[in-house]
Amino acid sequence: MRFLGYPCRLFEMQHSAPVDPTKMGVGRAIAVLTSGGDAQGMNAAVRATVRVGIYTGAKVYFVHEGYQGLVDGGDNIRQATWESVSMMLQLGGTVIGSARCQDFRTKEGRAKAACNLVKLGITNLCVIGGDGSLTGANEFRNEWSELLQILQKTGKITAEEAKCSSHLNIVGMVGSIDNDFCGTDMTIGTDSALHRIMEVVDAITTTAQSHQRAFILEVMGRHCGYLALVTALSCGADWVFIPEMPPDEGWEDHLCRRLTYQRSIGNRLNVIIVAEGALDRHGKPITCDIIKNLVTKKLGFDTRATILGHVQRGGTPSAFDRILGSRMGVEAVMALLEATPDTPACVVSLSGNMAVRLPLMECVQVTKEVTKAMAEGRFEEAIKLRGKSFENNWNTYKLLAHVTAPDVKSNINIAILNVGAPCAGMNAAVRSAVRIGILQGHNMLAVHDGFEGLANGTIEPMAWGYVGGWTGKGGSILGTKRSLPANMIEEISLNIAKFNIHALVIIGGFEAFVGGLELVTAREKYEELCIPLVVIPATVSNNVPGSDFSVGADTALNTITTTCDRIKQSAAGTKRRVFIIETMGGYCGYLATMAGLAAGADAAYVFEDPFGIHDLEANVEHLLEKMKTTVKRGLILRNEKCNANYTTDFLFNLYSEEGKGVFDCRKNVLGHMQQGGTPTPFDRNFGTKMGAKAVLWLTDKLKECYRHGRIFANTPDSACVLGMRKRAMLFQPLSDLKEDTDFEHRIPKTEWWLKLRPILKILAKYKISLDTSETATMEHVIKKRGGV
């Protein structure tokens, strides 16, 4: 759907006459409510729903206190304005409130709710909540006609009112920190909950290492182990207990053996993660106390248990959840306005980096199937039903945590190097690559300081314990340099021969990509370079061709967003102030655009979206108008290389001059703080999966390239970038990606996130014209597998 500008989707497109998006909602009313447990990011979804609804010409109403407010009516259903959702993005929980509602479970209660909606002319309902809340919404929609008849018979509404409100459209957004709703990769609130958990894990890790302790951590997830599983991957836990896959019989002995082994190789810390709904094979709960008593009595370890509880629901939403909520809110409004009486109630959701629409009840059905499969002991099936993302996480965890190294060595040497600028998550990728390599029987070599280290021979072996505790560390422990290999090819080839290196893992940014290409080009002259190699994109700039996301970009994005929150707070206190903030990224505007969405910026200037003096003039006019409202502040982001002449100083001087008497200006250059800090859960998890996948691929490739007692690889598909593309991690030959690369500006020629820029502009209240001639059709969740 080009309105949202998402990349080419996997569903068909229906072409219709162009519609003026600012007229789509005229004469219509939309209500938005949050229900069930709260989740960080719900406010971003509410804000986007309100603002896009208003943009389309519709009236938008808040329903306070969830379904209870819908039943009680009166002041609980209030019209929303543009300003009423200002400063909501960075708030946790839900500003419009959520409440459990018994009344809505009765037909009488639902009839009251229907009456309240009919009286206000509301026929479009956007529900943000879990599967219970969304199932309730679907039931409400299905019996809408019956409720109207009841209301008409009892004289509560007129025949005319019933006719005007003959059909109710429902669209759901899943807000749940457990990520327990099938059909979506991530539900609103999950990423933020992981942030809270990792903050605690990082804090516990330091104290546990000081005292040689074992820590047992219980995280939320009554029926879903997603939080526990990703936490275990992100912190390199020794063991994880999840509801979907109870441990085998005799797990107690296995756990004790594993903890003893970890101590024997010098680890001072043991971490065990437990989902609150964890069970054994007989359906008995596995609790923190049970594990603590086992470890204390059997091993005599100093053991502590921590139950995180509701702290996981609290706090500021992460950048990911704000962007997710915003994207979902925009898609929800469009789905409502495009719905017909025949369209089933749908959920807007995320798959890979793509927004999709899914039939609500199909998602609910598959979610129930998971619970049923678990109850019937079909655990492998339960894992599969959770979706590809969950299954990948589980498989990576199993590889890293529950396999012992083989007795027979492969005699293969794989070298790992970091190239370019340092970024958070690089160390997580190195750790998983090393450990998966050791489990495959390979010898893993550390190359210090990038290609320079490869040329100088600063190479040493890495054992299992070498990379212990690396997952949560920022920067690059191996050391990294921007130098490219072209001028050192001779020395590099000699060292590849000297250290008998059979394959390379290159983790880094654009330099890693270009360096990989230079090595491939030099294969013609140097036979030693005819070895398989894989590039793992890792850079805050997110500018590596062949991947929608790079390791490290999420951490940088959160750093910028947090800074913008503080700056906005300062501006809100001072009033009539505009901040101009310069972000990193080279010529790539990913950070500026996504931080603009996450922080609610008024504009984000990027190289890929050229702008001139008329655009700057329009932005100043926009801010002058904004200062007349109750929102007396502005936030402008500028990508560092967006324009050689319109520098940060130029923009500061321009805005200062034009704002005289109305607003004053401040500027901030964020600089290298964007490259630092501990990695976010996303970057730890992403880096871990990328490292593991890269080495498994190299292992297969080495078998293919083994001829006459030696490795020889000179085909294009033996040198690849491992990238996340739409919904899958793909290996793409470096040579194939040259066509899609702007080498001068160090960016890919096609960048998916550019299509999100219209959302940023709409949410900042710009009247921009959009193409709505393509309408997305719904996807299906239920596979052809005997019903589900």
Side-chain angles (χ1 to χ4, degrees):
M1 184 175 149
R2 214 177 299 147
F3 172 83
L4 285 180
Y6 295 121
C8 174
R9 298 182 177 175
L10 299 187
F11 32 68
E12 306 154 29
M13 293 290 185
Q14 296 174 343
H15 293 270
S16 55
V19 179
D20 180 354
T22 61
K23 302 283 191 294
M24 284 176 78
V26 172
R28 301 173 73 175
I30 299 168
V32 56
L33 66 87
T34 53
S35 175
D38 63 308
Q40 310 97 315
M42 279 183 164
N43 291 324
V46 170
R47 171 181 176 268
T49 305
V50 168
R51 290 195 167 175
V52 176
I54 292 169
Y55 165 84
T56 65
K59 279 186 179 176
V60 188
Y61 291 84
F62 290 135
V63 179
H64 291 268
E65 310 310 330
Y67 284 122
Q68 193 64 56
L70 206 59
V71 173
D72 295 344
D75 255 3
N76 287 304
I77 306 176
R78 278 177 256 164
Q79 193 169 345
T81 64
W82 195 274
E83 285 83 13
S84 63
V85 291
S86 184
M87 287 300 273
M88 273 174 72
L89 260 178
Q90 66 270 38
L91 300 177
T94 164
V95 169
I96 58 175
S98 178
R100 306 282 176 195
C101 178
Q102 290 305 316
D103 294 343
F104 194 74
R105 293 175 187 271
T106 67
K107 188 159 274 191
E108 186 190 355
R110 291 194 292 274
K112 278 185 187 173
C115 184
N116 290 329
L117 292 179
V118 169
K119 290 294 180 187
L120 291 167
I122 299 167
T123 54
N124 298 284
L125 187 61
C126 179
V127 179
I128 308 166
D131 60 343
S133 306
L134 300 182
T135 305
N138 191 62
E139 189 181 345
F140 188 40
R141 175 185 185 268
N142 288 341
E143 63 178 17
W144 183 255
S145 300
E146 190 188 337
L147 295 174
L148 293 187
Q149 285 170 11
I150 293 167
L151 292 170
Q152 217 177 318
K153 272 182 191 167
T154 54
K156 300 269 175 63
I157 63 171
T158 65
E160 185 59 32
E161 284 174 327
K163 189 181 171 189
C164 291
S165 302
S166 61
H167 180 72
L168 178 70
N169 295 320
I170 295 275
V171 169
M173 285 183 259
V174 191
S176 161
I177 67 163
D178 292 342
N179 202 28
D180 56 355
F181 196 79
C182 292
T184 180
D185 285 351
M186 288 285 266
T187 55
I188 294 168
T190 305
D191 188 65
S192 301
L194 286 167
H195 274 249
R196 295 298 87 76
I197 295 166
M198 289 316 302
E199 283 163 17
V200 174
V201 171
D202 286 347
I204 278 173
T205 300
T206 53
T207 178
Q209 280 179 327
S210 303
H211 297 277
Q212 277 202 313
R213 280 183 177 148
F215 258 94
I216 304 153
L217 208 71
E218 184 191 285
V219 300
M220 281 185 170
R222 204 170 307 136
H223 306 295
C224 179
Y226 186 87
L227 289 179
L229 182 53
V230 175
T231 300
L233 272 175
S234 301
C235 71
D238 296 295
W239 200 286
V240 67
F241 293 94
I242 61 171
E244 289 86 351
M245 185 59 77
D248 295 330
E249 297 286 355
W251 62 267
E252 295 91 341
D253 290 337
H254 188 175
L255 172 62
C256 290
R257 280 198 307 274
R258 178 154 188 80
L259 298 183
T260 306
Y261 172 71
Q262 288 297 325
R263 286 286 167 97
S264 74
I265 59 171
N267 286 349
R268 297 176 58 83
L269 157 75
N270 299 113
V271 178
I272 299 161
I273 308 293
V274 192
E276 61 179 326
L279 303 166
D280 67 13
R281 294 268 160 173
H282 306 288
K284 289 181 183 169
I286 297 175
T287 64
C288 277
D289 285 341
I290 288 170
I291 302 163
K292 183 183 175 186
N293 291 335
L294 169 74
V295 175
T296 308
K297 284 177 185 169
K298 211 159 183 188
L299 301 178
F301 286 6
D302 187 1
T303 310
R304 297 287 188 273
T306 304
I307 296 171
L308 287 190
H310 280 73
V311 71
Q312 295 159 86
R313 285 194 188 282
T316 289
S318 66
F320 181 93
D321 273 329
R322 299 181 199 197
I323 293 164
L324 175 62
S326 300
R327 288 173 71 178
M328 299 298 94
V330 180
E331 183 86 0
V333 171
M334 300 314 294
L336 282 170
L337 297 181
E338 288 164 5
T340 67
D342 302 322
T343 311
C346 80
V347 189
V348 293
S349 138
L350 192 73
S351 183
N353 69 7
M354 297 161 58
V356 293
R357 299 179 194 175
L358 307 163
L360 190 153
M361 290 319 290
E362 280 188 21
C363 294
V364 170
Q365 190 181 331
V366 179
T367 304
K368 285 180 177 166
E369 257 321 288
V370 179
T371 313
K372 191 178 169 196
M374 282 154 58
E376 293 173 0
R378 293 180 282 119
F379 301 118
E380 293 289 345
E381 197 173 338
I383 295 269
K384 278 190 162 47
L385 284 165
R386 278 276 179 234
K388 206 76 193 150
S389 171
F390 192 97
E391 194 181 352
N392 287 342
N393 283 325
W394 175 249
N395 290 336
T396 306
Y397 167 73
K398 275 198 306 184
L399 276 171
L400 285 165
H402 284 275
V403 185
T404 47
D407 295 327
V408 182
K409 291 280 188 183
S410 67
N411 291 323
I412 291 290
N413 300 317
I414 298 179
I416 302 178
L417 59 155
N418 292 342
V419 177
C423 68
M426 272 183 164
N427 298 320
V430 173
R431 172 189 170 271
S432 73
V434 167
R435 292 198 166 175
I436 293 292
I438 290 169
L439 292 171
Q440 298 289 308
H442 308 323
N443 301 308
M444 305 304 290
L445 302 174
V447 180
H448 297 280
D449 301 328
F451 288 118
E452 279 186 29
L454 199 53
N456 297 332
T458 48
I459 300 166
E460 62 174 331
M462 288 189 278
W464 186 274
Y466 188 100
V467 290
W470 279 30
T471 315
K473 291 189 171 136
S476 163
I477 297 171
L478 287 183
T480 181
K481 292 276 180 75
R482 291 180 180 273
S483 319
L484 291 170
N487 299 326
M488 310 176 258
I489 288 290
E490 180 89 35
E491 294 88 340
I492 286 172
S493 64
L494 287 171
N495 277 325
I496 285 175
K498 180 182 171 184
F499 289 90
N500 199 19
I501 294 168
H502 300 108
L504 283 177
V505 178
I506 305 169
I507 302 168
F510 200 81
E511 289 91 352
F513 172 74
V514 175
L517 273 173
E518 289 181 2
L519 292 181
V520 170
T521 306
R523 279 175 172 179
E524 291 174 19
K525 196 173 172 188
Y526 297 94
E527 206 173 279
E528 296 84 353
L529 299 177
C530 293
I531 56 172
L533 67 91
V534 62
V535 174
I536 296 176
T539 165
V540 301
S541 304
N542 197 31
N543 63 335
V544 179
S547 191
D548 294 341
F549 297 104
S550 293
V551 174
D554 186 67
T555 305
L557 185 54
N558 276 281
T559 301
I560 299 166
T561 305
T562 306
T563 309
C564 288
D565 285 351
R566 291 173 182 172
I567 284 168
K568 274 176 77 177
Q569 212 168 40
S570 151
T574 315
K575 302 279 193 298
R576 300 184 182 279
R577 180 160 285 173
V578 173
F579 275 89
I580 296 159
I581 298 173
E582 183 187 297
T583 68
M584 270 186 171
Y587 286 100
C588 180
Y590 175 84
L591 287 179
T593 298
M594 297 308 247
L597 265 175
D602 294 284
Y605 300 121
V606 301
F607 169 76
E608 295 94 337
D609 190 0
F611 59 97
I613 197 68
H614 295 303
D615 301 293
L616 297 175
E617 195 178 359
N619 294 151
V620 172
E621 286 297 326
H622 165 80
L623 285 168
L624 290 169
E625 285 302 309
K626 194 178 178 185
M627 296 300 158
K628 294 175 187 173
T629 70
T630 55
V631 189
K632 299 183 190 302
R633 67 181 175 278
L635 181 68
I636 306 290
L637 296 183
R638 179 188 175 275
N639 169 239
E640 59 184 346
K641 289 190 177 177
C642 65
N643 190 295
N645 296 313
Y646 298 139
T647 61
T648 301
D649 286 339
F650 176 91
L651 292 179
F652 170 71
N653 292 334
L654 174 74
Y655 276 82
S656 298
E657 181 62 33
E658 296 299 320
K660 270 185 184 168
V662 181
F663 61 79
D664 64 353
C665 278
R666 295 289 185 275
K667 66 179 173 185
N668 276 60
V669 177
L670 299 186
H672 281 73
M673 65 184 286
Q674 295 160 86
Q675 284 180 354
T678 56
T680 58
F682 178 90
D683 279 333
R684 297 180 198 209
N685 188 23
F686 191 40
T688 298
K689 284 197 283 196
M690 295 283 264
K693 206 170 177 69
V695 171
L696 291 175
W697 178 82
L698 282 175
T699 303
D700 289 340
K701 197 53 71 178
L702 284 161
K703 286 173 191 164
E704 279 177 36
C705 302
Y706 189 77
R707 290 189 197 95
H708 312 299
R710 54 175 296 221
I711 304 293
F712 185 79
N714 66 346
T715 55
D717 68 352
S718 64
C720 287
V721 169
L722 169 56
M724 169 73 88
R725 298 309 290 264
K726 292 176 185 168
R727 303 183 180 194
M729 283 192 194
L730 302 175
F731 289 91
Q732 304 138 96
L734 285 159
S735 52
D736 289 3
L737 294 168
K738 276 174 26 182
E739 288 301 306
D740 186 40
T741 306
D742 174 351
F743 285 95
E744 184 190 346
H745 298 105
R746 299 159 49 87
I747 53 174
K749 287 179 184 172
T750 50
E751 295 174 297
W752 67 272
W753 53 265
L754 274 171
K755 304 291 184 71
L756 298 185
R757 287 183 61 77
I759 299 178
L760 195 156
K761 290 173 183 174
I762 291 166
L763 295 177
K765 209 176 182 177
Y766 285 95
K767 290 281 185 283
I768 60 171
S769 180
L770 294 161
D771 176 4
T772 57
S773 60
E774 289 179 353
T775 305
T777 60
M778 234 181 275
E779 288 193 11
H780 290 278
V781 187
I782 293 182
K783 314 274 189 296
K784 293 185 176 74
R785 44 179 295 282
V788 179

